Structures are given as C-alpha cells and as structure tokens.
Amino acid sequence: MPAESNPRQIFISAGEASGDMYAARLAAELAQRTGAHLFGMGGERMAEAGVELIAHSSDVAVSGFSEVWSKLPVLKQTMRHLSEVAAARKPALAILTDFPSFHLRLAKRLQQNKIRTVCFVAPQFWAWRPWRAKQIGRRFERALCIFPFEEEFYRKAVVPVTFIGHPLVDIVRPSMPRADFLARNSLDTARPIIALLPGSRMNEIQRNLPPILGASEQILRQKDGCQFVLVVAPSISPELVTSVGTSEATLRIKSGGSEHSFRVPAGLNLKIISGATYDAVSSASVAIVASGTATVETALLGTPMVVVYKVAPVTELILRTFIVTRFVAMPNLILGRRVVPELLQQDCTPPRIAAEVLKLLDSPGARDEMQAGLAEVRGRLGPGGAISRAADIIVDMLKSNSSA
C-alpha cells in the first residue's frame, strides 16, 4: 500500500438508486472483512450499511442530457467537495459505482491525488458511445462488470475487467408467499393484478406515469376486474387524495424538495405499495415497467412485462445520435432479441401500452413465451455471489502495492 494512503479508510460512491443498493451491500461486506471506515456519496441504503455520507446521491441523480443543465452547479460543487475530502483523508482505495459521466471525472481528480480507483458496475458504454470504454482503462485500475457480454467488450478496449455476475441474482426474491401479500394489501386472488413501476426519479415519473395511468384506464374499460398496484421507490413519498363528490383521485408524489400531482382515473382504485417491490411484482399478472434496473428485477421474478420510457425531446435527439444497440430494455439486450415489448417516446402512449398488456392477459401462449425468455435472461446473469466476488477482488487490491 502506498505510504501516504490510509488503510483504515475506503472511499465509495454511488449516484443512483440501483448503485446505492449494490454499493451498500459491498460496503457492508468490506467493513466486515477489513474493519475499514467507508465514506463517500450514496443514499439511504448506503447510510444504513454504515457508510459515512459526505454527499447524498439525491443531489446529483439526473436522467437525460437536458436535465443535467439545471443541476450543473450542484454537480460541480459535489464533485469538488468529494475530491477535496478524499484528498484530505487519503483512503486506501476509491470504489466508484456506475454513474459514468460523474464518476469518470471524479476518478481523474482522485488519480491526481494518487488515490487508487476501482470501477464497480462498469458503465454500459457498449450501448452508447462505445469509444468511451478506453477511458475506463485510463481512469481505473480494475473494472468489475455485471453482464456476461461486457467482459469481452471491455477487454477489446484493453481494460482490466472481471465479470462478477449480477448482484440482483442474490437480492431479488419475494419476502412472503403471494397469498400473504395479497391478504395484507386487500387484493383479490381471483382477479388480475397489474403492477405499475414508473421509475425511481421524479423526472422519470413525470414523463412515464401519465401514459401508464392512461393505459390503466383503457385496460379497465376493456377488462373489468383488474387491480392496479403502483410500486414506488424508497425515495418517493406518495399520497392519494380522493376528490370530494367524485370517484376520481389525485396522486401527489414528493421527492426531495419537489412535488407533482397526477390525475388517477375514476374507478381505478389504485393501491400504493412501498417497501415491498419484489412481493408486488412477483404477485402481479403483468408489470408495466420503466426501462432500467427494474426490468432486470422483473425478469428475475419471472413476471411478464411491458417496458416503457420517455425522455425530454432534446435528450431523445442526442441519444438517437449515440445509441448503437437495437434494443433499450435490458432483457432484450441480454438475449440479443426481442423478448419484451419496448414502447419508447412517441410509442409510449396509453393505447399502445394497454394493447400490449391486454395481449399478455388474454393470451396464455404469449405469457408462456415471454416467461421462457425471462428464464433465459436469469440464466445469463451468472450464479449468485457477485458481491462476494467483488469484495474478494477489492480485498486483494488493498493487500497489494501495485495494480491488481
């Protein structure tokens, strides 16, 4: 270990909800194995794992290019604060979890202060801007990837990389029998359940939830008796308010310092679920899921899904320039073929979403075919133990005096 480093401290950072989940588990294991104090940036899960948060990930979490501009001052301030604290404490190692646009710049600052870095959850540069893969090799001693095809991609870019498997393989499972979950939430076992997952960030919810609710209204018109469950992320605070004298309701959602309201169609009887995502999704007949980590979770649970997503128009224009893959939804990317429907941008409309959901509800053959594909996705994500394998590599790096 370099003489100037502090072997009792490890810097760890995550900027998104999924990264917070993975980094929290890794931090807990590293603390147990090494006795080191971990500090850095993250969310509630990392704080619960004992990480000292010197910056909160909610301050920097954005999706889409256009959304970055409004947060640019905060992003710069957070970057400067993290690098200054790390330089003062001189941790033995810095672990940066995904969130590439921010973490590549932070890694450069850490390097300038002679702090060794590891990239935990290598960015999905194979999907867009693949030429940036070489930057990982320049900024990090080692990259740890969670999808099997990523290892070859990064090796071709001369990046020291190891496939560790997907952390969600160990995490994603319901906590109770389906009958218990339904009884606890007053849901009817004999009626179809549709889970609604509009995203974990407020700007995602603002764009995805209205067409999802609109689709739910159309589904209910064509298939009476469906039950709708809104599954919210831990960072979201929802409140359902019934309008006086009508059956319509208003859904108020708070996140951080912002609040937005959404009209809930009459008769929808929306059930809000927080803190039981895997129970809700595994109990559902079909899920409408915003593209992202939630699609991998839904695949691991084997629930048929329709993937949706909308971004700002300017973000769409930029993405169309850089995206090099045929698909956006992770199950489709993992298998290299269309397993789940993708309704993006102008295709993300209530009629299109409703039609895909009704097809899955009404056609056992379509459900069986999709579930077979989702089982194949699960098989491609590697065996359990991804966090332990990551910890093994990082502990070895801590013991060494040179790049692992």
Side-chain angles (χ1 to χ4, degrees), residues 5 20 56 58 60 81 96 106 118 137 139 153 165-166 173 178 191 250 256 299-300 338 344 351 353-354:
S5 68
D20 182 48
H56 201 285
S58 63
V60 299
H81 180 58
L96 308 185
L106 180 58
V118 58
R139 305 281 171 82
F153 168 78
H166 205 297
R173 54 180 53 86
R178 183 175 188 268
R191 295 160 53 200
T250 298
L300 287 168
R338 185 183 183 276
L344 315 173
I353 299 169

Side-chain angles (χ1 to χ4, degrees), residues 19 22 111 130 170 173 210 278 295 325 383:
Y22 307 148
Q111 276 184 326
D170 290 320
R173 54 180 53 86
Y278 301 151
T295 64
T325 58

Side-chain angles (χ1 to χ4, degrees), residues 34-248:
T34 68
H37 173 72
L38 288 96
F39 70 98
M41 179 174 72
E44 283 70 25
R45 288 186 175 96
M46 287 173 65
E48 290 169 5
V51 177
E52 178 196 351
L53 298 186
I54 59 174
H56 201 285
S57 56
S58 63
D59 295 334
V60 299
V62 291
S63 62
F65 296 96
S66 61
E67 291 86 352
V68 170
W69 293 106
S70 63
K71 281 202 170 185
L72 202 54
V74 176
L75 289 165
K76 288 182 176 180
Q77 182 182 6
T78 304
M79 175 91 63
R80 183 169 57 252
H81 180 58
L82 289 171
S83 57
E84 287 175 353
V85 173
R89 297 194 186 187
K90 300 190 184 304
L93 192 69
I95 303 165
L96 308 185
T97 310
D98 200 6
F99 204 48
S101 294
F102 185 91
H103 279 153
L104 277 168
R105 291 173 174 80
L106 180 58
K108 184 176 181 180
R109 293 189 176 213
L110 296 175
Q111 276 184 326
Q112 291 169 347
N113 286 292
K114 301 190 180 341
I115 297 170
R116 304 168 65 198
T117 56
V118 58
C119 179
F120 175 49
V121 186
Q124 297 172 9
F125 285 150
W126 41 267
W128 67 299
R129 298 192 289 181
W131 56 89
R132 295 191 69 189
K134 291 184 178 179
Q135 291 182 333
I136 300 296
R138 291 197 296 268
R139 305 281 171 82
F140 296 93
E141 288 190 19
R142 174 71 66 86
L144 308 180
C145 64
I146 61 176
F147 294 109
F149 53 84
E150 292 179 327
E151 193 166 34
E152 181 182 1
F153 168 78
Y154 276 108
R155 287 197 190 284
K156 285 182 178 178
V158 199
V159 175
V161 62
T162 304
F163 170 57
I164 58 171
H166 205 297
L168 287 176
V169 172
D170 290 320
I171 298 170
V172 177
R173 54 180 53 86
S175 66
M176 67 185 79
R178 183 175 188 268
D180 292 352
F181 173 78
L182 299 184
R184 182 172 297 185
N185 290 283
S186 303
L187 293 165
D188 190 339
T189 58
R191 295 160 53 200
I193 297 171
I194 301 169
L196 315 178
L197 291 85
S200 59
R201 305 183 190 97
M202 183 62 87
N203 59 357
E204 290 179 320
I205 294 170
Q206 283 179 265
R207 297 185 188 281
N208 294 326
L209 188 54
I212 289 175
L213 290 174
S216 300
E217 183 176 26
Q218 295 193 15
I219 292 165
L220 195 59
R221 285 178 189 164
Q222 299 181 57
K223 199 171 186 67
D224 189 32
C226 286
Q227 303 168 100
F228 296 87
V229 172
L230 177 66
V231 184
V232 297
S235 58
I236 301 300
S237 177
E239 180 185 8
L240 197 60
V241 181
T242 303
S243 303
V244 178
T246 73
S247 57
E248 244 186 37

Side-chain angles (χ1 to χ4, degrees), residues 249-298:
T250 298
L251 175 65
R252 295 174 183 160
I253 293 182
K254 298 178 183 178
S255 179
S258 61
E259 177 180 334
H260 294 274
S261 297
F262 305 86
R263 183 188 74 85
V264 178
L268 202 61
N269 294 321
L270 189 65
K271 182 79 65 174
I272 299 175
I273 301 295
S274 180
T277 296
Y278 301 151
D279 294 298
V281 173
S282 66
S283 298
S285 311
V286 179
I288 305 173
V289 189
S291 182
T293 301
T295 64
V296 179
E297 295 172 314
T298 304

